[in-house]
Amino acid sequence: MSSQPVGEAAYSSQRQALRLSGLALAYMTFQTFGVIYSDIGTSPLYVLNGIWPSSGPAPSEEDIIGGISAIVWSLTLVPLIKYALIVLQFGTREGEGGTFALLQGLFPPDIRNDDDDRALTGDSAMLRAMSTRSSAEKLAGVKWFLLPWALFGTALTIADGVLTPAVSVTSAVGGIAIAKASVANNTTAISIPFGTHRLSLVYSPIACIWLLLLGGMGTYNITTHPGIFRAFDPSRLVMWFVRTKNFDYLAGVLLAVTGCEAMFANLGQFNKASTQIGFSCFVYPMLVLAYLGQGARLIQDGDHVIVNVFYNTIPGGQGGGLYWIVIHLHYFVALIASQAIITACFSLCQQLINLKSLPPLKMIYTSETIQGQVYFPVINYTLAIGTIAVVGGFKNLANLTNAYGFAVSTVMFVTTSLVAIQMRFTRHLPWLLAIGFFFTFGFFDGLFFAASLKKVPHGAWVTLTIGSVLALFMLFWTWGKASPRFMGLEDEFDSMNRRNLRHFIGVEASGDEREKQVRKRLNANALQPGRETTALKYVGTSSMAKDIESVDDDDDDEEKELPSQESLYLVHEDDAHPRLPLPRLPTCAVFHKLTAGRGVPHTFYGFLRQWPALPRVVIFLSVRTMNINHVPREERYNVTKVRTIKGFYGVTYALGFRDNFCMSIDDIIDKICLLESRVGANDEAEANSIIQEIYKAVKQSTHIIPHYHVISAPLGFRGFLGGIFDRTRRLLIEGLYRRIEVMFPETGNWVGIIRVGINAEI
């Protein structure tokens, strides 16, 4: 019943997690040092002074051992066991990480099928119903909670992208201030985040040298007081809290594990194996040695060291050769620390934009081999401006670290809760294991969160404000725009109103009896579940045309191909509107499908209502990004023909993730003519005639895309409260969402196109 597509390539548009071995894995592991671990690798600069302020007295030996024990066990439990060994197992099938990736695991988007996109006579609603996933069904009742919860965690991670550069660079300047106090407050001018994948070859060696230097200094300092190894006894940290009864110390200990969420969010930039190897085998041992060494020196020279623990524990003392080497190296490391969270923000924004939880922004792929390594100029400059504003506003490193710690602890708890839910509902692990994971790591996350929550009046309110505003905006955009699985009204409207080509284009047949059969099938189709929830103003204006053979393999009716001189007409759903004849014009029209699914976009129906005529060549174009960097030109277009209405074609335009969008109508026509020659192999004269008509028609081609004028549909609530609800909803959709949407058009830079306006009542 269907013609075979021409140009089918061997690639897939389904991105897969990156898998490497041997030297390639070793090289990628080396690259992670300059991106992922630069954040947690700079924590020794300020952690101990975050626990014991420089303005206070030096702690006792037992308190120091207890504090170091808390740091060592926090590093072991949170970044090593929780993140490196467990959480990294829960990335998406594309290899992405972060809190939003965990949400995708619970509500996975449907896998898009290119053949279905090119099928013009099928019903996308039926396809969606068949592809529903069990985890999404079971959790549908709590989706309204899980979505904002995950978006809040994602928003705080992005807010962390403002705070990390500020803390790193401010602490670096604090080291210079020991030798030259006049620079203590002159930090704003240099607090600008840098770093992309193009600089990883420079960043990774610097980060590697820095971590080796931390481990080396720690080893040297341990020799001044080997008794610091008692910190490996977890009872020391318990006795420390029991003795001091000061749980505010946890806010300082928390700073030792900052960057662990960036390790997960950066999963798409690299892969699971390289991240696990890099942290477990190199970063973790170096950090443990560094903290043990700082604790040993603090025990030996407490009053001198407490002023600035990191810089005063550098072997050789202030002004020594190693001191200035560390100072200058820290300048670069501070920039690298910014890179860790900035690239994490890029990965998160890529996920958000792909699932339409953020407006479309310019995205640049920076790698020829890894699809997850991306760069957003707007995001980068926004983070830079935010960092400058934060440093200029705080000035005080203690308040800055308070804001920093609140973001980290909250995101850690969000991650723990979502992983526990995935364990049961996605991975189908035993309830006992999921509950055990949640209560074990949720207990530690809760302790950190409670300690940082007390810091809200002392600087953490900035993080809470940034995260809340950003999360509300993303939730609002998801509600208005995203796919039906994430409650998006506009895309749900588009999907539910996509039309089967047979439902509104009829062919002159046996008169009124034939039209009655058409209307009967139309009415049956209108009763499909879900179709009444969202509709066009002309929701019922589609109708069933002559039962024609097409590319839709799900059709039950098998009829002969229509004659070449058919008379086409547009059929309305009721008898009050007469059918409109559709003359064929010697032109070519390309209708762009902006969402996936079978059938033709209802933009096409709106086009026929406004201009009741059919071009000789009608192309419905879907664009797909493939999982390779470049697609050869001869393999970019896959074409399927509707057999029963002459001149209708479904086309998939396949692009590599590094290819520029540059559609060639000539290449598409060549594929179409090749397909026509195959289909008409038994009648060469007829095939040649059709091909000549096609080449003549494409001399005038037009591109057509939809433009939705969104309108809030009344939900039918009665009474005073119902009126308030409808007015509020109308204000959000028509007064706010519609205006913002105009600022971020998906096709804003396209020229030479016709935008067909449609009233989308959502």
Side-chain angles (χ1 to χ4, degrees):
M1 291 180 62
S2 63
S3 57
Q4 295 297 322
V6 171
E8 196 74 44
Y11 334 115
S12 170
S13 58
Q14 182 60 44
R15 178 181 159 195
Q16 299 292 331
L18 188 64
R19 290 179 173 83
L20 299 173
S21 61
L23 292 178
L25 178 59
Y27 177 67
M28 177 165 283
T29 301
F30 176 72
Q31 284 186 310
T32 63
F33 299 148
V35 177
I36 297 181
Y37 306 116
S38 51
D39 188 357
I40 198 171
T42 56
S43 296
L45 289 162
Y46 43 77
V47 169
L48 292 192
N49 277 125
I51 300 174
W52 299 291
S54 58
S55 57
S60 65
E61 178 177 346
E62 288 301 316
D63 285 353
I64 294 172
I65 293 176
I68 298 299
S69 179
I71 293 173
V72 170
W73 281 101
S74 295
L75 282 171
T76 304
L77 290 171
V78 180
L80 181 62
I81 297 178
K82 175 186 168 182
Y83 277 91
L85 300 183
I86 300 176
V87 173
L88 289 181
Q89 308 291 335
F90 290 84
T92 65
R93 60 190 175 214
E94 294 85 7
E96 292 287 355
T99 52
F100 197 71
L102 294 174
L103 182 70
Q104 293 181 59
L106 296 171
F107 302 97
D110 293 329
I111 298 177
R112 186 171 172 178
N113 186 291
D114 292 344
D115 291 335
D116 288 328
D117 276 352
R118 293 193 299 271
L120 306 180
T121 57
D123 293 314
S124 59
M126 295 170 59
L127 178 67
R128 288 196 307 274
M130 291 185 294
S131 59
T132 303
R133 289 163 175 76
S134 59
S135 64
E137 289 179 342
K138 294 177 181 178
L139 296 171
V142 294
K143 187 194 307 186
W144 278 104
F145 170 76
L146 294 177
L147 176 62
W149 183 236
L151 289 177
F152 183 58
T154 304
L156 286 177
T157 305
I158 297 175
D160 199 8
V162 173
L163 299 171
T164 298
V167 172
S168 300
V169 179
T170 303
S171 60
V173 175
I176 306 176
I178 297 176
K180 187 176 181 181
S182 61
V183 305
N185 294 321
N186 299 328
T187 57
T188 302
I190 62 173
S191 296
I192 301 177
F194 290 97
T196 65
H197 172 72
R198 297 180 185 276
L199 299 178
S200 64
L201 291 178
V202 177
Y203 283 178
S204 296
I206 293 175
C208 189
I209 294 172
W210 171 258
L211 290 168
L212 287 172
L213 194 59
L214 289 180
M217 291 192 304
T219 302
Y220 176 84
N221 289 329
I222 288 172
T223 61
T224 64
H225 190 85
I228 193 65
F229 282 113
R230 287 182 292 166
F232 284 110
D233 181 1
S235 66
R236 297 290 177 172
L237 74 90
V238 176
M239 290 188 293
W240 178 46
F241 286 113
V242 171
R243 183 173 57 255
T244 62
K245 296 181 175 59
N246 187 355
F247 289 92
D248 289 344
Y249 285 144
L250 280 172
V253 175
L254 173 65
L255 299 176
V257 298
T258 58
C260 56
E261 187 62 34
M263 180 167 64
F264 182 39
N266 271 304
L267 186 61
Q269 302 277 345
F270 301 95
N271 71 349
K272 179 177 65 177
S274 62
T275 306
Q276 291 175 324
I277 294 172
F279 185 80
S280 304
C281 300
F282 184 69
V283 178
Y284 173 76
M286 295 298 105
L287 291 177
V288 169
L289 289 174
Y291 288 118
L292 290 173
Q294 289 182 10
R297 283 294 305 276
L298 187 57
I299 293 174
Q300 287 296 105
D301 307 302
D303 293 333
H304 169 69
V305 170
I306 194 63
V307 177
N308 191 310
V309 175
F310 178 81
Y311 288 102
N312 287 332
T313 57
I314 296 175
Q318 298 178 18
L322 184 60
Y323 181 87
W324 289 108
I325 291 176
V326 173
I327 287 286
H328 286 89
L329 187 62
H330 184 206
Y331 292 153
F332 296 100
V333 174
L335 300 179
I336 297 172
S338 305
Q339 177 70 11
I341 193 62
I342 290 172
T343 53
C345 290
F346 293 161
S347 292
L348 292 174
C349 288
Q350 182 186 28
Q351 298 174 44
L352 291 166
I353 291 173
N354 286 343
L355 290 181
K356 300 185 179 180
S357 290
L358 268 185
L361 301 172
K362 181 180 180 180
M363 180 175 67
I364 301 172
Y365 291 95
T366 61
S367 171
E368 289 286 342
T369 56
I370 303 174
Q371 194 172 352
Q373 293 183 349
V374 294
Y375 169 67
F376 289 87
V378 172
I379 300 297
N380 190 54
Y381 292 126
T382 302
L383 295 177
I385 294 171
T387 298
I388 296 173
V390 166
V391 174
F394 274 97
K395 296 292 185 182
N396 186 298
L397 181 60
N399 289 341
L400 198 54
T401 54
N402 289 337
Y404 188 37
F406 177 81
V408 173
S409 62
T410 308
V411 176
M412 285 165 47
F413 187 74
V414 173
T415 298
T416 298
S417 59
L418 292 176
V419 168
I421 296 173
Q422 262 215 52
M423 281 183 171
R424 177 56 189 164
F425 291 99
T426 302
R427 303 298 177 90
H428 305 293
L429 298 175
W431 273 106
L432 186 62
L433 185 61
I435 294 174
F437 173 84
F438 176 76
F439 281 104
T440 300
F441 292 101
F443 171 75
F444 296 111
D445 295 340
L447 290 176
F448 286 129
F449 177 75
S452 61
L453 194 62
K454 297 176 64 176
K455 304 295 184 180
V456 170
H458 306 289
W461 62 270
V462 175
T463 308
L464 182 61
T465 302
I466 296 175
S468 299
V469 171
L470 186 56
L472 285 174
F473 176 76
M474 292 190 297
L475 181 63
F476 174 70
W477 192 263
T478 304
W479 172 67
K481 186 72 175 178
S483 63
R485 189 170 295 278
F486 287 97
M487 302 173 296
L489 296 177
E490 186 175 332
D491 277 13
E492 182 180 17
F493 168 84
D494 183 276
S495 298
M496 297 301 293
N497 288 280
R498 192 176 293 114
R499 299 294 187 238
N500 186 320
L501 193 60
R502 299 187 187 190
H503 291 178
F504 57 89
I505 294 183
V507 181
E508 192 65 57
S510 59
D512 294 338
E513 182 62 29
R514 181 59 185 170
E515 188 168 346
K516 289 179 181 178
Q517 296 176 7
V518 168
R519 298 191 190 284
K520 182 178 179 180
R521 292 190 60 180
L522 170 65
N523 294 332
N525 178 74
L527 296 177
Q528 290 182 11
R531 286 191 176 268
E532 71 280 8
T533 57
T534 55
L536 282 171
K537 287 293 186 181
Y538 44 86
V539 62
T541 56
S542 60
S543 66
M544 179 59 65
K546 181 176 171 61
D547 293 337
I548 55 178
E549 183 181 353
S550 70
V551 295
D552 186 357
D553 291 332
D554 293 332
D555 296 325
D556 297 327
D557 302 317
E558 296 187 13
E559 299 192 8
K560 297 180 180 180
E561 187 167 330
L562 295 177
S564 60
Q565 299 298 324
E566 73 269 23
S567 178
L568 305 179
Y569 56 88
L570 182 66
V571 179
H572 294 272
E573 69 167 340
D574 54 57
D575 296 330
H577 295 84
R579 64 188 188 186
L580 296 175
L582 297 175
R584 302 300 291 263
L585 304 178
T587 61
C588 172
V590 180
F591 291 85
H592 293 260
K593 298 176 68 173
L594 300 182
T595 57
R598 294 188 175 191
V600 300
H602 53 275
T603 311
F604 179 61
Y605 184 83
F607 175 84
L608 293 182
R609 280 171 56 94
Q610 297 180 47
W611 297 284
L614 277 175
R616 171 60 183 83
V617 178
V618 181
I619 298 171
F620 294 93
L621 182 71
S622 301
V623 181
R624 302 301 309 275
T625 300
M626 312 307 284
N627 60 359
I628 62 170
N629 53 358
H630 298 287
V631 176
R633 180 174 177 177
E634 64 274 9
E635 298 178 0
R636 289 184 178 180
Y637 302 99
N638 302 328
V639 180
T640 304
K641 174 190 176 182
V642 176
R643 289 181 180 271
T644 50
I645 302 181
K646 185 169 65 176
F648 279 77
Y649 306 92
V651 178
T652 300
Y653 178 26
L655 285 173
F657 60 83
R658 291 276 287 173
D659 287 331
N660 294 321
F661 180 87
C662 185
M663 192 203 69
S664 171
I665 190 67
D666 293 334
D667 290 346
I668 294 178
I669 294 304
D670 289 342
K671 293 282 187 178
I672 289 175
C673 292
L674 176 60
L675 179 58
E676 290 288 357
S677 64
R678 291 182 180 178
V679 173
N682 296 330
D683 191 344
E684 186 175 348
E686 177 67 17
N688 290 334
S689 175
I690 293 175
I691 291 173
Q692 290 177 5
E693 290 182 26
I694 292 173
Y695 277 120
K696 181 180 179 181
V698 298
K699 293 180 180 179
Q700 301 181 33
S701 59
T702 303
H703 294 262
I704 301 168
I705 63 171
H707 171 69
Y708 297 129
H709 183 78
V710 294
I711 300 172
S712 177
L715 299 183
F717 295 125
R718 297 180 179 180
F720 176 74
L721 293 179
I724 293 178
F725 182 82
D726 280 343
R727 284 193 294 271
T728 303
R729 192 173 186 272
R730 187 182 307 113
L731 175 64
L732 291 175
I733 292 177
E734 300 179 15
L736 187 58
Y737 174 75
R738 183 197 294 171
R739 297 177 186 273
I740 298 176
E741 185 190 32
V742 173
M743 300 168 59
F744 297 96
E746 294 185 64
T747 57
N749 60 343
W750 292 13
V751 295
I753 60 177
I754 295 177
R755 288 180 170 84
V756 177
I758 294 176
N759 288 334
E761 192 174 62
I762 60 178

